[in-house]
């Protein structure tokens, strides 16, 4: 598989209009808010607002910006989250959206922006309904104040929404939802608990790996992806082991940003196609679902892209340039398994997820596999899976990682 050559055709590279990066970056929020409007809807979860809300509101207040707070964002935001936040935005006559948090807050803010400038319900803009680039009008100015080190949502044209009425997630993709500004302040990530350091970090690694091996890969996102893989594989264990390590936090913050820039300009693939239904059915956080699936999908796919997976192994530092590509590719799989073990990824299943019996799980595997295919993401995988192969992968993941007595949980 050869990365596409942009000299042969025009390619769109999307990115936030501005990126503020470094300690104290949050202090620039007021300047941006006053540039774009007079009244901000601040979107956050209750937990994140309790930690950082006072800081952000103080910056906005000093800039003379009025703030309206929506602090009911849930992990894996729902249709109802977006609708209620949009109602507040509309009723309070806001003109700027500021998100505080990670992917859940950012995706909620993007959803509010879609409804603010486009006719229809949020479900109408899913790629399965409207296709890619199915949002006609740009959102109002959106400033994403990032507090996690994983989703990269502040750099992407993607929105993932949970539809609780159907126990599914749907994806919206449009250049018209990319945030206007991304604020990346490592000091805001110091409060991230160890569990979510693990989830968001492995999420970022997954974004970078999938972007690099995707059939939509090309030179620009490839550079973002390899840099992100290098950073995340080295810094994530350090940030997980010592949450006060500002240098490691900064590296993971940059890594997840680059991973977001990688996959939004390339694509995600089979891991994400499977992670969405797995997370929806088992109530597993998105990053945890990605991390659980990643090594199995890599193992399944490496025969179709040994050179790319070998590059990933070398970026991770688990293979040398002289190693044959197939051996290096296999080392990449083992490297991911080892990284997941280092951050005790499967240990979080006790508190973050509802694991059914194998019989109950097997009953929904067919639906999950079909949902994965319907998402379109598996089409970007270097090895094209059948529905039956996806079902087998789901069952293998259960037996090896999800079941209470699974080898990876022992």
């Amino acid at each position: 598989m050869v990365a596409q050559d942009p000299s042969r055709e025009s390619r769109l590279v999307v990115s936030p209009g501005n990126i503020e990066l470094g300690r104290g970056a949050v202090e620039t929020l007021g300047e941006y808010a006053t540039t774009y409007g007079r009244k901000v809807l601040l979107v956050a979860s209750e937990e994140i607002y309790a930690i950082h809300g006072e800081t952000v509101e103080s910056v906005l207040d000093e800039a003379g910006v009025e703030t309206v707070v929506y602090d009911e964002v849930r992990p894996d935001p729902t249709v109802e989250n977006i609708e209620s936040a949009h109602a507040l935005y509309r009723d309070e006559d806001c003109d700027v959206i500021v998100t505080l948090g990670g992917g859940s807050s950012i995706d909620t803010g993007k959803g509010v922006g879609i409804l603010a400038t486009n006719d229809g319900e949020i479900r109408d803009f899913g790629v399965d309904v409207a296709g890619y680039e199915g949002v006609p009008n740009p959102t109002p100015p959106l400033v994403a104040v990032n507090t996690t080190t994983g989703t990269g949502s502040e750099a992407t044209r993607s929105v993932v929404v949970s539809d609780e009425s159907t126990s599914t997630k749907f994806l919206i993709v449009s250049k018209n939802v990319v945030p206007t500004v991304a604020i990346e302040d490592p000091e805001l990530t110091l409060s991230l608990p160890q569990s979510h350091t693990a989830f968001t970090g492995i999420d970022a690694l997954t974004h970078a790996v999938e972007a690099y091996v995707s059939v939509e890969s090309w030179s620009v996102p490839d550079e973002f992806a390899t840099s992100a893989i290098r950073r995340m594989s080295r810094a994530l264990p350090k940030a997980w082991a010592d949450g006060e390590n500002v240098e490691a936090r900064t590296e993971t913050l940059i890594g997840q940003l680059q991973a977001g820039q990688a996959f939004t300009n390339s694509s995600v693939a089979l891991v994400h196609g499977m992670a969405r239904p797995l997370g929806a059915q088992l109530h597993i956080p998105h990053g945890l679902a990605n991390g659980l699936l990643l090594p199995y999908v890599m193992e399944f796919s490496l025969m179709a892209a040994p050179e790319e997976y070998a590059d990933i192994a070398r970026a991770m530092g688990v293979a040398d340039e002289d190693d044959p590509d197939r051996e290096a590719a296999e080392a990449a799989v083992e490297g991911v398994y080892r990284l997941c073990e280092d951050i005790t990824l499967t240990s979080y299943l006790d508190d973050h997820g509802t694991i059914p019996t194998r019989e109950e799980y097997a009953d929904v595997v067919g639906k999950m596999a079909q949902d994965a295919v319907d998402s379109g993401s598996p089409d970007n995988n270097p090895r094209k899976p059948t529905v039956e192969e996806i079902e087998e992968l789901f069952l293998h993941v259960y037996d090896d990682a999800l079941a209470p007595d699974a080898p990876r949980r022992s």
Side-chain angles (χ1 to χ4, degrees), residues 15 54 58 108 113 187 189 194 198 202 210 218 220 236 370 374:
S15 184
E54 184 177 344
S58 175
T108 301
E187 293 182 335
T189 70
Q194 199 170 45
I202 207 70
E210 291 223 283
W218 58 291
V220 171
L236 174 56
Q370 190 59 54
D374 291 345

Side-chain angles (χ1 to χ4, degrees), residues 74 76 78-80 123 161-170 274-284 364 367-368 371-372:
R74 291 173 46 186
D76 301 318
T78 64
V79 170
E80 290 74 17
R123 190 66 184 87
V161 185
S162 294
D163 186 343
E164 293 185 319
S165 67
T166 58
S167 294
T168 60
K169 294 183 180 182
F170 63 92
M274 294 177 66
R276 294 187 196 105
L278 182 69
Q281 289 288 341
L282 275 60
H283 309 292
I284 295 173
V364 297
K367 181 182 186 309
M368 290 196 298
D371 286 346

